[in-house]
Amino acid sequence: MLLKELSALASPLSQGQVDKLKQLTSELSSVQLAWVSGYLAASANQGQSGVETTTETSAAPTVTILYGSQTGNGRGVAKELAAKAQAQGYAVNLASMGEYNVRQLKQETILLLLVSTHGEGEAPDDAIELHKFLTSKRAPKLDNLHYSVLALGDSSYEFFCQTGKDFDARLSALGATSLLPLVECDVDYEDISQQWQDSVVEAVKPYIQASSASVVSIGTASVAGESEYTKQNPYTAEVLVSQKITGRDSDRDVRHVEIDLGESGLTYQVGDALGVWFSNNQALVDEVIAALGLAADDNVTVAKESLSLKAALTDKKELTQLYPGLVKTWAELSGNAELAAIGEDKEQTRQFILQHQLADLVAVYPAKVSATQLVGMLRPLTPRLYSIASSQAEVEAEVHLTVALVEDERQGQARFGGASHFLASAQEGQQINVYVEQNNHFRLPENPQTPVIMVGPGTGVAPFRAFMQQRAADGVSGDSWLFFGNPHFEQDFLYQVEWQQYLKNGGLSRLDVAFSRDQADKVYVQHRIAEQAEALWQWLQKGAHVYICGDAERMAKDVHQALVNIAVEQGGLSFDDAEAYFETLRSEKRYQKDVY
């Protein structure tokens, strides 16, 4: 029964009790609701059997585990930690930071935080509200709190683990006591995170044992929609189609990829991403081995598994993305002063990483290394996330992706992105390991009649294809507006026929396109947005939700600036008030981004 139905039916609750119940449940996560449901059921059973219930005066401290995760790594580690804590008999409250009621913070005694860093030192979407709260004047004194922070990051970026550092500093400043020093994890986080989990479970033990109350387990309920198939245990699916959808004369190769999920039972919502495990290209693997004068069948050990060097470089190690530590290490091994100078300069290192792969490093800066040394300095292969371009209401046991082949030429050699080349060259029937990564911060409005504005240039249009399929399946039409851009109309209009069909049948209200190189002056989606300022502002005033998907470095920033300018020009707001307006929309989930 829904709460909104209680008042209309013969209910044992007074209207005041119904209002209190609504207030309480609105502040709880799905996991917390599941626990409360079980608690109330147990209380009712006790009452029916004549067992007297008593109120604990010294309830066992709850270990609250909060995660802020952009790609799912933090959530995965948090679930592992919760399982370990529960195995010790601890009461555990596991939740996303985005579902956590910040007003509860002053009641906590044990708080374990796992948080990644996104973009240029920014908090991931689900951690933004808690991050803002802790840095605001509303943040309470936390003298009774004991905490620990595990920070996840990527040392390729300048602001490595910045969000975790922020949380650690703020909690300390507010009077909380650190159980363990801040732990920073790079991309290969598994071993360090396991050590932290084991240490922190021991570190909280004295505070749990100080209480004589019995322990109640919170958060054991599985999250709705979760699958047995995960990043660590992916599903082996089959590729149905990998079809080029850009023209013959296009300067880019964009693929529409269809994957059969078979009998897996995997489900996804529009807005979710698909995690794709890939193998490195064999020609690239052979090139690296030959350039270093190593043997393909040299025996190496990776994560306690013994295998050949060729197998390790194919399926276990990252070859297409460098990181700062490797540049420095290679400079020492090669004895090259030029590379050493690059490694000492953050910005030069960042640019070097963007423009080189391992094969380039090996070719330009020769060094002598053993097979064991090589695999020891390379990062583990990690899956890539792709925005899902389909709705299961339309395609059922399939999942569709829109993949741009990353390609470049360096020193006369063709270089490709690892996952994009794997998918672009996949043949029908090829097996591929995948899993669904939920993205609760990129969802269609709950009310289907709410207007939606979608900005998706290039492959950023992928989730909006899924949005439109879902809306069509739900019988929703009108009040949807797509901004799409790419270089050329004739070569690069992705899914052109589908958009035109949606326009024709009323599923899509408006379509504005920007083909940047079809005229003398380059025109991008932000220019089209500026041209439609008056109408777009009216849509926002009607409650429209705005979605942006695609390039984070330039496009998303330019589009955001165009939107702020509209709020200034059309809404009469100051620049600061316009920024605050979109920040409010973001917190209300009316302004959502899926950028990379």
Side-chain angles (χ1 to χ4, degrees):
M1 182 187 297
L2 298 175
L3 278 174
K4 64 184 178 183
E5 298 172 330
L6 284 174
S7 303
L9 300 173
S11 166
L13 302 180
S14 69
Q15 185 57 47
Q17 288 173 320
V18 170
D19 291 340
K20 288 179 181 178
L21 192 55
K22 288 180 180 178
Q23 173 67 28
L24 171 63
T25 55
S26 69
E27 298 172 356
L28 300 179
S29 69
S30 58
V31 171
Q32 292 168 326
L33 284 169
W35 180 83
V36 169
S37 173
Y39 171 79
L40 293 175
S43 298
N45 289 338
Q46 282 183 320
Q48 290 169 357
S49 61
V51 177
E52 182 180 356
T53 59
T54 59
T55 302
E56 293 280 3
T57 56
S58 59
T62 296
V63 177
T64 295
I65 302 172
L66 301 181
Y67 59 86
S69 178
Q70 198 72 22
T71 62
N73 291 338
R75 182 175 64 197
V77 177
K79 289 172 67 175
E80 290 177 8
L81 175 61
K84 288 183 178 181
Q86 287 176 334
Q88 293 289 323
Y90 302 165
V92 175
N93 178 16
L94 170 66
S96 160
M97 291 179 182
E99 296 177 340
Y100 182 72
N101 180 5
V102 295
R103 288 173 292 180
Q104 175 66 24
L105 193 60
K106 61 180 178 289
Q107 308 298 331
E108 304 287 2
T109 55
I110 301 172
L111 180 64
L112 308 180
L113 301 178
L114 304 93
V115 66
S116 62
T117 295
H118 180 56
E120 297 175 5
E122 300 153 12
D125 291 340
D126 53 359
I128 291 175
E129 292 302 322
L130 181 58
H131 188 271
K132 283 175 58 182
F133 178 75
L134 284 174
T135 56
S136 73
K137 294 181 180 179
R138 293 165 46 228
K141 292 296 291 180
L142 299 172
D143 296 335
N144 296 322
L145 179 68
H146 294 80
Y147 76 94
S148 183
V149 178
L150 180 77
L152 298 166
D154 182 343
S155 62
S156 299
Y157 293 89
E158 182 178 357
F159 300 99
F160 177 57
C161 289
Q162 187 60 49
T163 307
K165 294 174 184 175
D166 291 347
F167 275 122
D168 185 59
R170 284 304 299 160
L171 290 171
S172 178
L174 292 169
T177 302
S178 176
L179 292 162
L180 295 171
L182 170 72
V183 173
E184 300 174 14
C185 295
D186 209 333
V187 173
D188 47 348
Y189 62 89
E190 284 85 356
D191 289 346
I192 296 176
S193 72
Q194 289 290 341
Q195 293 168 16
W196 175 78
Q197 290 175 52
D198 295 339
S199 297
V200 83
V201 165
E202 284 298 311
V204 303
K205 189 173 288 186
Y207 305 98
I208 300 294
Q209 291 176 338
S211 169
S212 59
S214 60
V215 173
V216 180
S217 180
I218 304 175
T220 55
S222 63
V223 179
E226 280 200 350
S227 166
E228 63 179 294
Y229 298 110
T230 61
K231 177 182 176 182
Q232 290 75 25
N233 180 41
Y235 174 68
T236 303
E238 281 194 4
V239 174
L240 296 172
V241 173
S242 179
Q243 177 183 7
K244 187 179 180 186
I245 55 174
T246 43
R248 182 183 305 168
D249 297 325
S250 175
D251 63 357
R252 56 197 61 195
D253 183 341
V254 176
R255 298 284 170 142
H256 173 72
V257 180
E258 299 182 1
I259 297 168
D260 183 10
L261 297 177
E263 303 298 319
S264 67
L266 270 172
T267 61
Y268 57 86
Q269 297 183 56
V270 296
D272 285 343
L274 190 75
V276 176
W277 286 96
F278 65 97
S279 298
N280 284 311
N281 179 262
Q282 285 301 298
L284 181 64
V285 171
D286 292 341
E287 181 185 343
V288 169
I289 292 174
L292 290 170
L294 300 173
D297 58 358
D298 279 348
N299 189 264
V300 295
T301 302
V302 178
K304 299 179 181 179
E305 179 185 356
S306 180
L307 67 171
S308 71
L309 175 60
K310 183 163 186 172
L313 297 186
T314 300
D315 292 314
K316 301 294 185 181
K317 290 297 180 175
E318 180 65 71
L319 299 187
T320 58
Q321 293 182 349
L322 300 178
Y323 68 98
L326 179 56
V327 175
K328 283 191 174 184
T329 300
W330 203 263
E332 294 172 6
L333 289 169
S334 66
N336 187 283
E338 176 190 345
L339 187 59
I342 292 171
E344 293 302 319
D345 185 284
K346 284 186 177 180
E347 181 55 29
Q348 284 192 62
T349 300
R350 194 172 80 88
Q351 292 302 321
F352 185 87
I353 286 171
L354 290 173
Q355 297 165 14
H356 296 79
Q357 295 185 1
L358 176 65
D360 305 314
L361 192 67
V362 169
V364 180
Y365 304 99
K368 187 69 176 174
V369 296
S370 68
T372 298
Q373 279 181 298
L374 179 64
V375 298
M377 67 179 72
L378 296 178
R379 280 178 165 178
L381 198 69
T382 55
R384 306 292 195 258
L385 294 178
Y386 289 93
S387 301
I388 291 175
S390 57
S391 163
Q392 283 193 300
E394 170 79 18
V395 304
E396 299 181 338
E398 294 180 11
V399 61
H400 297 177
L401 306 178
T402 310
V403 179
L405 175 62
V406 177
E407 55 183 325
D408 199 0
E409 185 176 307
R410 298 174 191 140
Q411 286 85 44
Q413 288 281 352
R415 297 290 182 229
F416 301 98
S420 67
H421 191 247
F422 177 77
L423 289 168
S425 57
Q427 302 296 310
E428 180 180 345
Q430 181 170 324
Q431 293 191 328
I432 176 174
N433 290 327
V434 300
Y435 62 97
V436 172
E437 188 60 57
Q438 294 179 358
N439 184 0
N440 293 324
H441 297 277
F442 206 75
R443 295 281 188 243
L444 279 167
E446 289 186 11
N447 180 355
Q449 302 307 316
T450 302
V452 294
I453 299 169
M454 304 167 285
V455 184
T459 57
V461 81
F464 304 131
R465 180 177 186 265
F467 277 20
M468 295 307 299
Q469 287 185 358
Q470 186 65 51
R471 284 166 63 90
D474 294 340
V476 180
S477 63
D479 283 344
S480 56
W481 191 347
L482 174 66
F483 288 89
F484 172 75
N486 238 355
H488 299 287
F489 170 80
E490 291 187 355
Q491 303 294 326
D492 307 309
F493 197 166
L494 308 183
Y495 304 115
Q496 177 185 356
V497 173
E498 294 183 29
W499 303 126
Q500 290 174 335
Q501 185 61 40
Y502 283 127
L503 277 173
K504 183 178 179 180
N505 64 26
L508 184 63
S509 308
R510 301 186 63 157
L511 173 63
D512 279 89
V513 294
F515 294 103
S516 58
R517 297 175 190 171
D518 278 351
Q519 59 283 311
D521 296 323
K522 291 184 179 179
V523 177
Y524 298 107
V525 285
Q526 62 266 27
H527 299 130
R528 296 296 185 226
I529 287 170
E531 290 169 3
Q532 300 295 337
E534 184 177 356
L536 199 145
W537 183 249
Q538 290 172 356
W539 277 52
L540 287 173
Q541 297 311 293
K542 287 194 302 180
H545 287 216
V546 181
Y547 301 87
I548 301 173
C549 182
D551 170 52
E553 189 72 21
R554 290 168 296 181
M555 182 278 297
K557 293 177 181 177
D558 291 339
V559 168
H560 175 77
Q561 189 58 55
L563 293 171
V564 168
N565 291 343
I566 288 173
V568 171
E569 296 162 8
Q570 300 294 321
L573 303 179
S574 68
F575 177 80
D576 288 344
D577 287 344
E579 287 282 5
Y581 171 75
F582 282 102
E583 181 61 23
T584 299
L585 292 192
R586 186 203 56 74
S587 64
E588 294 174 349
K589 297 189 175 180
R590 284 184 54 200
Y591 184 34
Q592 301 182 37
K593 299 177 184 178
D594 177 10
V595 295
Y596 36 84

